[in-house]
């Protein structure tokens, strides 16, 4: 068991909030959504448009807001970073992952990010190292840790596997 | 730590400021929100009173506290008002901080009432982010508090003629505001209830809680193997009482985390305060961690 | 306190670092028993302990000059090894004050601190530094206060902010670490930061340790020991540089194991900081070659038993799989099966 890999709860409305905003990179919001929740979905906005909309919007908001993000792991943590920068904290932001099991990976050696990584062994697009995707996630970098897998003995590379969580 | 009373200032008939200095050297640094626990002599026993430090964090040469005379007096504040003299020496523990500022706040909202002003006087000297402070006072103390409050449009003194509109203040704060509440219990509860109703998350609501401080009601412990009977004082741990009797007991962390000080229990019900025992083990009451745990019954009997 | 500094030795390249007889005797050997298990092994950090390594609040030893030089080299190659998030500026000054006061008290022949209000004067004789500055004014120092002082102390340091009933690692000077990255872990909570450690989460070790640390009091620091193994006395075994030191692990042979393989011990101290209410985590690293360690018979016997019987998950986490049998064989020659005395100090 690893305690840095995020565990996501299914979407749930948080009644302690006074106002609610839900953003998702999926086409549809959850079914039977409370009508008080303002929503932005992939039907009307690209993920980039949502991420661009949030900072100026949050700057005008008051305490009492709840922000929900549903989507790929990269998307929900990008939203989380924007929320933190706007001053939101524990209990104000709720993240739910949706979509395929792919990871964003941070190369420890050259600090390049690789998006949409699907297997435990991957090539770093920056320095070309063969990386093992460690099960260690940084909310700050919004990515999993990638470390060269064959540093001890070059060429000793285990078979890649898909992610199970 | 021993402190000498260097100055006493009468702020109002019921409120005095005490300036304290070390007998030698420098005082331990203390951050905004820190408090000091004093031993204050009383007629029948020594009182342990906690007072917030109001000085800035650079103040390593002096500590300042403000004391309201509590009616009916529970002892400590009466002695400070009636008997304390310049030059008197008080015994104090190293300051501790149970009410720190949130470093990630975009804005601080301070709501205080009465003598609850004191920690915020320390806050006011160090806050670097924007703040808003509302202080509520009884009419007879308002002049004293007005003189203490820093100047500026972000600070408002409220009396009966100018009451605080809580819903308006709490309902319009930008995201990233942290709320700090300090005053009488009723004030604290009213503010927190209103804040929660307006959607404030717990992570943004701060109150000073002395509950986590050590200590509790005194009790008696019997050590079955040596036949000793020990009194555990209110401000003493069971482990300290055993050690004070000259008996070596096992320990490591002295904070309820490691399990080294576990002793078997023969009789009595402990108040478990450790982080080691599982709920089932706690309920079984077969042992306890003597570095933190206390008694729910007047006596405990240990197999030790 | 006595402090005899050697000229700078190297902890990379030709690895000239060695321990004198005195340094061996003061080594903070980490195993109180012949069997190793995770535990919350925290205790009050007061001056004095099983060896002289516990005599100062922040221990310095004969390797001071070499370690400071190694740190400067790591920082020159990778400035991100020292980073502090801006909201911890008070904790930076807290750290500077604590370290300067402790060093000046414990090693008055080497360090002097004089202050007149906020006007401070710091003298570090071994590094030939003489600095006047204004406490609280970062512009009066050649670099930020946390970096300034931690460049002058042996051991890594991290800064933890306390909020939401948790500790967040949001700053540090990390150049002599056992395979973890400050740059990657910055911002993590206590449990996240310890995520990769096997077995301990299940045992509740981190939950208990966190609950304990959240209540850490001013003026009452605590300490614990941690350990691993490192090939060659290399201070900087970072994930960033894994391609540089990883290959060392394939070079261990029965002939060179005693010289090459080092027991790496961290004397970790945790101190509540006054102004920031943060926690300073000191991770003081000691490296001892096996051939040096076996000169203390009790330590040789006990280390043999610990490594022989170690849980395989832990052995893997500590990077041992490639050479575990070689070490165990080497140490077996020094273990006659006699019982070991209680405690960690040498007999
Ligand atoms: S001494 Fe560690 S639990 Fe009591």
């Amino acid at each position: 068991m690893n305690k840095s890999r995020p565990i996501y709860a299914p979407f749930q409305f948080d009644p302690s909030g006074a106002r609610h905003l839900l953003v998702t990179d999926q086409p549809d919001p959850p079914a039977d959504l409370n009508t008080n929740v303002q929503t932005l979905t992939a039907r009307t906005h690209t993920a980039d448009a949502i991420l661009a909309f949030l900072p100026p919007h949050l700057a005008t908001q008051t305490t009492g807001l709840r922000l929900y993000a549903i989507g790929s792991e990269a998307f929900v943590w990008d939203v989380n970073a924007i929320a933190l920068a706007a001053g939101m904290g524990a209990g104000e932001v709720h993240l739910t992952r949706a979509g395929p099991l792919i990871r964003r990976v941070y190369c420890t050696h050259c600090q390049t990010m690789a998006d949409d990584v699907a297997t435990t062994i991957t090539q770093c697009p920056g320095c070309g190292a063969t990386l093992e995707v460690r099960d260690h996630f940084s909310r700050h970098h919004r990515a999993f840790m990638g470390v060269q897998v064959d540093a001890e003995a070059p060429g000793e590379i285990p078979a890649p596997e898909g992610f199970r969580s | 730590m021993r402190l000498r009373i260097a100055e006493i200032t009468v702020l109002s008939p019921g409120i005095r400021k005490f300036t304290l200095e070390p007998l030698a050297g420098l005082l331990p640094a203390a951050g905004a929100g820190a408090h000091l626990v004093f031993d204050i002599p009383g007629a029948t026993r020594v009182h342990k009173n906690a007072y917030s430090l109001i000085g800035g964090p650079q103040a390593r040469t002096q500590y300042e506290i403000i004391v309201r005379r509590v009616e009916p007096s529970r002892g400590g504040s009466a002695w400070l008002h009636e008997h304390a003299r310049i030059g008197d020496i008080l015994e104090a523990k190293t300051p501790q901080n149970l009410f720190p500022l949130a470093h990630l706040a975009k804005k601080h909202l301070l709501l205080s009432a009465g003598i609850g002003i004191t920690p915020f006087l320390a806050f006011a000297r160090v806050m670097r982010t924007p703040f808003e402070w509302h202080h509520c006072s009884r009419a007879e103390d308002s002049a004293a508090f007005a003189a203490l409050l820093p100047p500026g449009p972000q600070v408002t003194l409220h009396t009966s003629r100018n009451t605080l509109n809580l819903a308006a203040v709490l309902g319009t704060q930008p995201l990233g505001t942290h709320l700090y509440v300090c005053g009488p219990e009723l004030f604290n509860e009213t503010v927190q209830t209103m804040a929660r109703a307006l959607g404030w998350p717990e992570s943004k609501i701060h109150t000073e809680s002395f509950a986590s401080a050590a200590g509790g009601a005194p009790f008696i412990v019997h050590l079955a193997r040596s036949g000793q009977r020990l009194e555990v004082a209110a401000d003493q741990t069971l482990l300290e009482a055993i050690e004070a009797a000259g008996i070596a007991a096992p320990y490591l962390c002295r904070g309820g985390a490691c399990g080294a000080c576990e002793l078997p229990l023969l009789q009595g019900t402990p108040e478990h305060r450790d982080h080691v025992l599982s709920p089932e083990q706690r309920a079984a009451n077969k042992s306890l961690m003597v570095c933190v745990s206390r008694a729910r019954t007047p006596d405990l009997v240990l197999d030790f | 306190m006595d402090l005899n500094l050697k000229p700078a030795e190297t902890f990379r390249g030709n690895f000239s670092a060695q321990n004198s007889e005195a340094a061996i005797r003061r080594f903070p050997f980490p195993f109180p028993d012949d069997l190793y298990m995770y535990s919350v092994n925290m205790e009050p950090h007061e001056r004095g302990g099983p060896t002289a390594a516990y005599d100062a609040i922040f221990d310095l030893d004969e390797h001071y000059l070499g370690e400071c030089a190694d740190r400067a080299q790591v920082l020159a190659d990778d400035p991100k090894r020292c980073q502090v998030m801006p909201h911890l500026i008070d904790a930076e000054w807290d750290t500077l004050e604590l370290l300067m006061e402790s060093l000046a008290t414990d090693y008055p022949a080497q360090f002097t601190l004089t202050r007149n209000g906020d006007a401070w004067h710091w003298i570090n004789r071994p590094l030939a530094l003489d600095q006047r500055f204004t406490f609280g004014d970062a512009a009066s120092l050649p670099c930020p206060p946390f970096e300034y002082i931690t460049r002058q102390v042996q051991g890594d340091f991290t800064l933890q902010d306390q909020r939401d009933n948790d500790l967040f690692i949001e700053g540090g000077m990390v150049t002599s670490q056992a395979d973890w990255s400050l740059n990657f872990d910055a911002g993590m909570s206590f449990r996240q930061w310890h995520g990769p450690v096997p077995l301990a989460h299940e045992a509740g070790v981190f939950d208990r340790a966190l609950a304990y640390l959240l209540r850490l009091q001013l003026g009452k620091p605590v300490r614990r020991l941690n350990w691993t193994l490192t090939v060659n006395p290399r201070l900087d075994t970072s994930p960033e540089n894994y391609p540089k030191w990883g290959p060392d692990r394939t070079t261990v042979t029965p002939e060179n194991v005693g010289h090459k393989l080092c027991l790496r011990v961290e004397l970790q101290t945790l101190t509540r900081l006054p102004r920031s209410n943060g926690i300073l985590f000191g991770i003081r690293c000691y490296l001892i070659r096996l051939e040096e360690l076996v000169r203390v018979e009790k330590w040789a016997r006990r280390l043999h038993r610990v490594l022989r019987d170690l849980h395989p998950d832990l052995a893997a986490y500590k990077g041992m799989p490639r050479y575990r049998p070689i070490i165990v064989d080497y140490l077996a020659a020094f273990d006659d099966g006699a019982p070991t005395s209680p405690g960690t100090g040498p007999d």
Side-chain angles (χ1 to χ4, degrees), chain B residues 234-257:
Chain B
D235 63 331
Q236 196 181 31
T237 67
L238 176 41
L239 177 60
E240 286 166 351
I242 295 173
E243 289 171 338
I247 303 165
Y251 71 87
L252 199 58
C253 70
R254 300 184 83 94

PDB file of all heavy atoms in Angstrom, chain B residues 234-257:
ATOM      1  N   ALA B 234      -2.451  17.505  39.197  1.00  0.00           N
ATOM      2  CA  ALA B 234      -3.182  17.927  37.992  1.00  0.00           C
ATOM      3  C   ALA B 234      -2.246  18.207  36.827  1.00  0.00           C
ATOM      4  O   ALA B 234      -2.569  17.943  35.678  1.00  0.00           O
ATOM      5  CB  ALA B 234      -4.027  19.165  38.307  1.00  0.00           C
ATOM      6  N   ASP B 235      -1.073  18.757  37.125  1.00  0.00           N
ATOM      7  CA  ASP B 235      -0.174  19.152  36.039  1.00  0.00           C
ATOM      8  C   ASP B 235       0.992  18.183  35.889  1.00  0.00           C
ATOM      9  O   ASP B 235       2.032  18.529  35.363  1.00  0.00           O
ATOM     10  CB  ASP B 235       0.363  20.552  36.307  1.00  0.00           C
ATOM     11  CG  ASP B 235       1.191  20.592  37.575  1.00  0.00           C
ATOM     12  OD1 ASP B 235       0.924  19.785  38.473  1.00  0.00           O
ATOM     13  OD2 ASP B 235       2.105  21.429  37.655  1.00  0.00           O
ATOM     14  N   GLN B 236       0.798  16.964  36.382  1.00  0.00           N
ATOM     15  CA  GLN B 236       1.867  15.978  36.364  1.00  0.00           C
ATOM     16  C   GLN B 236       1.352  14.777  35.584  1.00  0.00           C
ATOM     17  O   GLN B 236       0.159  14.482  35.628  1.00  0.00           O
ATOM     18  CB  GLN B 236       2.105  15.587  37.817  1.00  0.00           C
ATOM     19  CG  GLN B 236       3.379  14.870  38.120  1.00  0.00           C
ATOM     20  CD  GLN B 236       3.444  14.534  39.612  1.00  0.00           C
ATOM     21  OE1 GLN B 236       2.421  14.311  40.265  1.00  0.00           O
ATOM     22  NE2 GLN B 236       4.652  14.502  40.145  1.00  0.00           N
ATOM     23  N   THR B 237       2.239  14.068  34.895  1.00  0.00           N
ATOM     24  CA  THR B 237       1.796  12.832  34.265  1.00  0.00           C
ATOM     25  C   THR B 237       2.008  11.679  35.253  1.00  0.00           C
ATOM     26  O   THR B 237       2.772  11.797  36.221  1.00  0.00           O
ATOM     27  CB  THR B 237       2.576  12.530  32.976  1.00  0.00           C
ATOM     28  OG1 THR B 237       3.935  12.255  33.322  1.00  0.00           O
ATOM     29  CG2 THR B 237       2.531  13.694  32.000  1.00  0.00           C
ATOM     30  N   LEU B 238       1.348  10.575  34.954  1.00  0.00           N
ATOM     31  CA  LEU B 238       1.505   9.384  35.797  1.00  0.00           C
ATOM     32  C   LEU B 238       2.970   8.941  35.785  1.00  0.00           C
ATOM     33  O   LEU B 238       3.533   8.568  36.824  1.00  0.00           O
ATOM     34  CB  LEU B 238       0.565   8.296  35.251  1.00  0.00           C
ATOM     35  CG  LEU B 238       0.538   6.907  35.839  1.00  0.00           C
ATOM     36  CD1 LEU B 238       0.616   6.924  37.353  1.00  0.00           C
ATOM     37  CD2 LEU B 238      -0.721   6.191  35.383  1.00  0.00           C
ATOM     38  N   LEU B 239       3.594   9.014  34.625  1.00  0.00           N
ATOM     39  CA  LEU B 239       5.008   8.651  34.525  1.00  0.00           C
ATOM     40  C   LEU B 239       5.860   9.560  35.415  1.00  0.00           C
ATOM     41  O   LEU B 239       6.753   9.097  36.130  1.00  0.00           O
ATOM     42  CB  LEU B 239       5.460   8.755  33.055  1.00  0.00           C
ATOM     43  CG  LEU B 239       6.947   8.487  32.769  1.00  0.00           C
ATOM     44  CD1 LEU B 239       7.359   7.084  33.188  1.00  0.00           C
ATOM     45  CD2 LEU B 239       7.242   8.689  31.271  1.00  0.00           C
ATOM     46  N   GLU B 240       5.576  10.858  35.386  1.00  0.00           N
ATOM     47  CA  GLU B 240       6.346  11.796  36.215  1.00  0.00           C
ATOM     48  C   GLU B 240       6.139  11.497  37.709  1.00  0.00           C
ATOM     49  O   GLU B 240       7.081  11.610  38.503  1.00  0.00           O
ATOM     50  CB  GLU B 240       5.942  13.249  35.919  1.00  0.00           C
ATOM     51  CG  GLU B 240       6.489  13.750  34.593  1.00  0.00           C
ATOM     52  CD  GLU B 240       5.833  15.054  34.129  1.00  0.00           C
ATOM     53  OE1 GLU B 240       4.837  15.500  34.747  1.00  0.00           O
ATOM     54  OE2 GLU B 240       6.309  15.603  33.136  1.00  0.00           O
ATOM     55  N   ALA B 241       4.935  11.116  38.077  1.00  0.00           N
ATOM     56  CA  ALA B 241       4.671  10.818  39.483  1.00  0.00           C
ATOM     57  C   ALA B 241       5.471   9.587  39.924  1.00  0.00           C
ATOM     58  O   ALA B 241       6.025   9.547  41.021  1.00  0.00           O
ATOM     59  CB  ALA B 241       3.170  10.594  39.695  1.00  0.00           C
ATOM     60  N   ILE B 242       5.543   8.591  39.057  1.00  0.00           N
ATOM     61  CA  ILE B 242       6.320   7.387  39.380  1.00  0.00           C
ATOM     62  C   ILE B 242       7.799   7.742  39.511  1.00  0.00           C
ATOM     63  O   ILE B 242       8.479   7.338  40.445  1.00  0.00           O
ATOM     64  CB  ILE B 242       6.103   6.301  38.298  1.00  0.00           C
ATOM     65  CG1 ILE B 242       4.644   5.828  38.303  1.00  0.00           C
ATOM     66  CG2 ILE B 242       7.043   5.121  38.517  1.00  0.00           C
ATOM     67  CD1 ILE B 242       4.288   4.881  37.171  1.00  0.00           C
ATOM     68  N   GLU B 243       8.275   8.549  38.578  1.00  0.00           N
ATOM     69  CA  GLU B 243       9.687   8.953  38.615  1.00  0.00           C
ATOM     70  C   GLU B 243       9.980   9.814  39.848  1.00  0.00           C
ATOM     71  O   GLU B 243      11.044   9.697  40.464  1.00  0.00           O
ATOM     72  CB  GLU B 243      10.049   9.725  37.338  1.00  0.00           C
ATOM     73  CG  GLU B 243      10.096   8.823  36.106  1.00  0.00           C
ATOM     74  CD  GLU B 243      10.236   9.597  34.803  1.00  0.00           C
ATOM     75  OE1 GLU B 243       9.884  10.797  34.776  1.00  0.00           O
ATOM     76  OE2 GLU B 243      10.686   8.990  33.812  1.00  0.00           O
ATOM     77  N   ALA B 244       9.027  10.670  40.201  1.00  0.00           N
ATOM     78  CA  ALA B 244       9.229  11.550  41.362  1.00  0.00           C
ATOM     79  C   ALA B 244       9.369  10.733  42.641  1.00  0.00           C
ATOM     80  O   ALA B 244       9.997  11.167  43.609  1.00  0.00           O
ATOM     81  CB  ALA B 244       8.074  12.545  41.476  1.00  0.00           C
ATOM     82  N   ALA B 245       8.778   9.519  42.635  1.00  0.00           N
ATOM     83  CA  ALA B 245       8.900   8.647  43.805  1.00  0.00           C
ATOM     84  C   ALA B 245      10.215   7.859  43.773  1.00  0.00           C
ATOM     85  O   ALA B 245      10.436   6.975  44.612  1.00  0.00           O
ATOM     86  CB  ALA B 245       7.704   7.687  43.846  1.00  0.00           C
ATOM     87  N   GLY B 246      11.051   8.145  42.816  1.00  0.00           N
ATOM     88  CA  GLY B 246      12.360   7.502  42.751  1.00  0.00           C
ATOM     89  C   GLY B 246      12.328   6.125  42.105  1.00  0.00           C
ATOM     90  O   GLY B 246      13.257   5.333  42.263  1.00  0.00           O
ATOM     91  N   ILE B 247      11.264   5.827  41.373  1.00  0.00           N
ATOM     92  CA  ILE B 247      11.146   4.511  40.736  1.00  0.00           C
ATOM     93  C   ILE B 247      11.398   4.681  39.234  1.00  0.00           C
ATOM     94  O   ILE B 247      10.831   5.567  38.596  1.00  0.00           O
ATOM     95  CB  ILE B 247       9.736   3.933  40.953  1.00  0.00           C
ATOM     96  CG1 ILE B 247       9.451   3.856  42.451  1.00  0.00           C
ATOM     97  CG2 ILE B 247       9.587   2.580  40.273  1.00  0.00           C
ATOM     98  CD1 ILE B 247       7.999   3.646  42.781  1.00  0.00           C
ATOM     99  N   ALA B 248      12.260   3.851  38.672  1.00  0.00           N
ATOM    100  CA  ALA B 248      12.539   3.934  37.238  1.00  0.00           C
ATOM    101  C   ALA B 248      11.467   3.161  36.479  1.00  0.00           C
ATOM    102  O   ALA B 248      11.234   1.984  36.743  1.00  0.00           O
ATOM    103  CB  ALA B 248      13.914   3.350  36.940  1.00  0.00           C
ATOM    104  N   ALA B 249      10.799   3.831  35.550  1.00  0.00           N
ATOM    105  CA  ALA B 249       9.804   3.179  34.703  1.00  0.00           C
ATOM    106  C   ALA B 249      10.271   3.292  33.264  1.00  0.00           C
ATOM    107  O   ALA B 249      10.989   4.226  32.921  1.00  0.00           O
ATOM    108  CB  ALA B 249       8.450   3.861  34.883  1.00  0.00           C
ATOM    109  N   PRO B 250       9.881   2.333  32.420  1.00  0.00           N
ATOM    110  CA  PRO B 250      10.338   2.396  31.029  1.00  0.00           C
ATOM    111  C   PRO B 250       9.652   3.524  30.259  1.00  0.00           C
ATOM    112  O   PRO B 250       8.489   3.834  30.517  1.00  0.00           O
ATOM    113  CB  PRO B 250       9.908   1.045  30.462  1.00  0.00           C
ATOM    114  CG  PRO B 250       8.740   0.632  31.305  1.00  0.00           C
ATOM    115  CD  PRO B 250       8.997   1.193  32.665  1.00  0.00           C
ATOM    116  N   TYR B 251      10.363   4.143  29.356  1.00  0.00           N
ATOM    117  CA  TYR B 251       9.748   5.143  28.479  1.00  0.00           C
ATOM    118  C   TYR B 251      10.685   5.391  27.312  1.00  0.00           C
ATOM    119  O   TYR B 251      11.856   5.058  27.351  1.00  0.00           O
ATOM    120  CB  TYR B 251       9.488   6.463  29.213  1.00  0.00           C
ATOM    121  CG  TYR B 251      10.740   7.225  29.537  1.00  0.00           C
ATOM    122  CD1 TYR B 251      11.297   8.106  28.613  1.00  0.00           C
ATOM    123  CD2 TYR B 251      11.401   7.036  30.743  1.00  0.00           C
ATOM    124  CE1 TYR B 251      12.475   8.780  28.887  1.00  0.00           C
ATOM    125  CE2 TYR B 251      12.575   7.700  31.028  1.00  0.00           C
ATOM    126  CZ  TYR B 251      13.109   8.577  30.096  1.00  0.00           C
ATOM    127  OH  TYR B 251      14.278   9.232  30.352  1.00  0.00           O
ATOM    128  N   LEU B 252      10.137   6.022  26.267  1.00  0.00           N
ATOM    129  CA  LEU B 252      10.966   6.467  25.158  1.00  0.00           C
ATOM    130  C   LEU B 252      10.479   7.859  24.725  1.00  0.00           C
ATOM    131  O   LEU B 252      11.085   8.865  25.025  1.00  0.00           O
ATOM    132  CB  LEU B 252      10.886   5.466  24.003  1.00  0.00           C
ATOM    133  CG  LEU B 252      11.989   5.528  22.968  1.00  0.00           C
ATOM    134  CD1 LEU B 252      13.360   5.340  23.586  1.00  0.00           C
ATOM    135  CD2 LEU B 252      11.775   4.432  21.918  1.00  0.00           C
ATOM    136  N   CYS B 253       9.315   7.923  24.083  1.00  0.00           N
ATOM    137  CA  CYS B 253       8.898   9.186  23.458  1.00  0.00           C
ATOM    138  C   CYS B 253       8.267  10.167  24.442  1.00  0.00           C
ATOM    139  O   CYS B 253       8.265  11.354  24.210  1.00  0.00           O
ATOM    140  CB  CYS B 253       7.907   8.901  22.338  1.00  0.00           C
ATOM    141  SG  CYS B 253       6.293   8.334  22.912  1.00  0.00           S
ATOM    142  N   ARG B 254       7.699   9.695  25.514  1.00  0.00           N
ATOM    143  CA  ARG B 254       6.986  10.508  26.506  1.00  0.00           C
ATOM    144  C   ARG B 254       5.834  11.274  25.878  1.00  0.00           C
ATOM    145  O   ARG B 254       5.453  12.345  26.371  1.00  0.00           O
ATOM    146  CB  ARG B 254       7.932  11.466  27.229  1.00  0.00           C
ATOM    147  CG  ARG B 254       9.061  10.776  27.977  1.00  0.00           C
ATOM    148  CD  ARG B 254       9.911  11.737  28.749  1.00  0.00           C
ATOM    149  NE  ARG B 254       9.353  12.077  30.048  1.00  0.00           N
ATOM    150  CZ  ARG B 254       9.657  11.463  31.175  1.00  0.00           C
ATOM    151  NH1 ARG B 254      10.535  10.473  31.187  1.00  0.00           N
ATOM    152  NH2 ARG B 254       9.094  11.815  32.297  1.00  0.00           N
ATOM    153  N   GLY B 255       5.277  10.755  24.805  1.00  0.00           N
ATOM    154  CA  GLY B 255       4.181  11.450  24.145  1.00  0.00           C
ATOM    155  C   GLY B 255       3.106  10.519  23.619  1.00  0.00           C
ATOM    156  O   GLY B 255       2.350  10.876  22.734  1.00  0.00           O
ATOM    157  N   GLY B 256       3.027   9.308  24.127  1.00  0.00           N
ATOM    158  CA  GLY B 256       1.937   8.415  23.737  1.00  0.00           C
ATOM    159  C   GLY B 256       2.066   7.817  22.346  1.00  0.00           C
ATOM    160  O   GLY B 256       1.070   7.400  21.770  1.00  0.00           O
ATOM    161  N   ALA B 257       3.270   7.783  21.790  1.00  0.00           N
ATOM    162  CA  ALA B 257       3.416   7.316  20.406  1.00  0.00           C
ATOM    163  C   ALA B 257       4.145   5.989  20.261  1.00  0.00           C
ATOM    164  O   ALA B 257       3.930   5.269  19.300  1.00  0.00           O
ATOM    165  CB  ALA B 257       4.138   8.370  19.567  1.00  0.00           C
TER     166      ALA B 257
END
